Amino acid sequence: MSKICLTGSTGALGSKVLQHLLNTVRIDPKSLVISLYNPSKAPKVPDGVEIRQGDYENPANLLTSFADCSKLFLVSYPSLLYERRVAAHKNAIDAAKQAGVKHIYYTSLAFGDDSKAFVKQAHLDTEAYLREVCEAPGSTMSYTSIEEGIYSESFPLYIGFFEQDRWEKATDRVVKVPSLGGPGPAWITQDNLGEANARIIADDFTKPQWRNRLVLLSGPKAISLQGVVDIINESLGWEKNPLRIEAVGAEEYLNYASELKTGKKDDEATKAYFGEWVSSYPAMERGETSVVDPLAKELVGRELTSMREYLDGLFQGKQKTHVDSGKYD
């Protein structure tokens, strides 16, 4: 039986993809392989799903992990070290080719194709390598690079590390950002993304819309950072003492981030970590994350969850966020 290999199945997106492949698309569990760095942390799955050890930094190990699989869902490596991340992706692509994988689905990010944002750079290099390998004369492997939209669940990171409990008690509710980010992202929930990805994976990869293509999965509407703050105030009933968002420039933002995370404005390690993140804001100002594409809605076959629906559900205890307000990728 030709199998589908899934990486990243314990993560925020990968776990949703696995869930929707099994429960929504309802593929045969025997056709699934889950490749994990630490198999002891494998998610609970039905009988028939095979768990294999897979280490992006061990090419020989990956070759075994990808064996007998025709499709590979390649979740980007969870590291902020640029060179290490690209090398890990190249290891996986090379191992897939050697193992006889026919198609790779790579999880990219919904910033521009010429973006200068730090978070996009490893993705751009990986996409270039996929083109080099898969579009070479005689290649038997193809790819779909999926630009995953900005998670609705990640909103705290974009609006100055918002935490409800912290600002609930504050007399002056202010979050600080380097800039207001222009039109803002076309936010999309991890669940909507998980289902859309699952439906792409389950489809025939030889179709022209998937073969050696870059596709965008976005939410239904771009909403600015100020717009998100407005929804928060309405949802929490904070109109009399509203949360405010202030654009303070890069240096003051880094001091603010350092103080929130460590209690000190001058923690150099924290400032260096978020210093790379600051480059995301000019990219948002240029509208890189605000592009709306109908593909995700078409794939799930219904209206996507709006940012207002997500936030209302979150503050009413009906949603859970799986994104650390201090982590970006």
Side-chain angles (χ1 to χ4, degrees), residues 55-315:
D55 180 354
Y56 280 27
E57 296 185 293
N58 185 335
N61 170 266
L62 289 177
L63 187 60
T64 302
S65 195
F66 299 162
D68 304 317
C69 295
S70 60
K71 297 179 178 182
L72 170 64
F73 181 63
L74 182 60
V75 174
S76 58
Y77 186 67
S79 172
L80 295 179
L81 298 175
Y82 164 76
E83 292 182 354
R84 182 179 182 183
R85 197 175 198 188
V86 174
H89 296 164
K90 287 184 176 181
N91 286 343
I93 293 164
D94 291 343
K97 180 181 178 181
Q98 191 175 349
V101 170
K102 298 300 182 184
H103 194 83
I104 294 176
Y105 305 90
Y106 173 68
T107 63
S108 186
L109 186 63
F111 279 75
D113 297 339
D114 59 352
S115 183
K116 300 299 187 291
F118 175 78
V119 292
K120 182 68 173 186
Q121 299 313 301
H123 295 296
L124 292 174
D125 281 5
T126 301
E127 289 169 342
Y129 193 65
L130 280 168
R131 291 192 295 271
E132 177 185 330
V133 171
C134 296
E135 297 179 15
S139 175
T140 59
M141 187 168 71
S142 54
Y143 72 93
T144 307
S145 184
I146 306 171
E147 290 193 324
E148 311 288 357
I150 306 304
Y151 298 166
S152 302
E153 292 85 347
S154 70
F155 78 92
L157 175 61
Y158 288 83
I159 60 165
F161 316 106
F162 174 81
E163 295 176 11
Q164 182 181 351
D165 290 345
R166 180 194 298 271
W167 272 272
E168 189 91 55
K169 303 168 186 175
T171 55
D172 189 20
R173 294 174 173 149
V174 180
V175 288
K176 296 180 181 181
V177 290
S179 74
L180 292 179
W187 310 90
I188 183 168
T189 65
Q190 292 162 353
D191 189 67
N192 284 161
L193 275 177
E195 181 175 351
N197 277 267
R199 292 189 181 281
I200 292 173
I201 293 167
D203 201 6
D204 179 359
F205 66 80
T206 65
K207 290 181 178 179
Q209 63 261 46
W210 311 131
R211 187 174 178 80
N212 294 341
R213 290 288 304 276
L214 184 152
V215 299
L216 171 64
L217 298 179
S218 78
K221 181 181 179 181
I223 298 179
S224 69
L225 305 186
Q226 179 64 62
V228 171
V229 168
D230 291 342
I231 296 172
I232 291 171
N233 285 325
E234 293 169 12
S235 186
L236 291 174
W238 284 0
E239 290 89 346
K240 291 184 178 179
N241 180 20
L243 181 70
R244 293 180 290 113
I245 185 168
E246 291 185 358
V248 296
E251 188 58 35
E252 185 175 342
Y253 169 77
L254 292 176
N255 289 334
Y256 162 85
S258 176
E259 188 169 20
L260 277 183
K261 297 300 177 181
T262 69
K264 300 183 297 182
K265 285 187 177 181
D266 58 352
D267 185 82
E268 293 304 321
T270 302
K271 291 174 71 172
Y273 180 83
F274 288 108
E276 303 285 12
W277 170 244
V278 168
S279 63
S280 301
Y281 286 81
M284 288 192 291
E285 294 276 1
R286 290 191 293 270
E288 290 184 21
T289 62
S290 65
V291 179
V292 174
D293 191 290
L295 180 59
K297 178 182 175 181
E298 292 168 359
L299 286 164
V300 305
R302 62 184 184 279
E303 294 294 330
L304 302 176
T305 303
S306 70
M307 193 58 172
R308 180 175 291 277
E309 289 171 329
Y310 169 74
L311 289 172
D312 284 346
L314 175 66
F315 297 132

Side-chain angles (χ1 to χ4, degrees), residues 93 319 321:
I93 293 164
Q319 302 278 359
T321 180

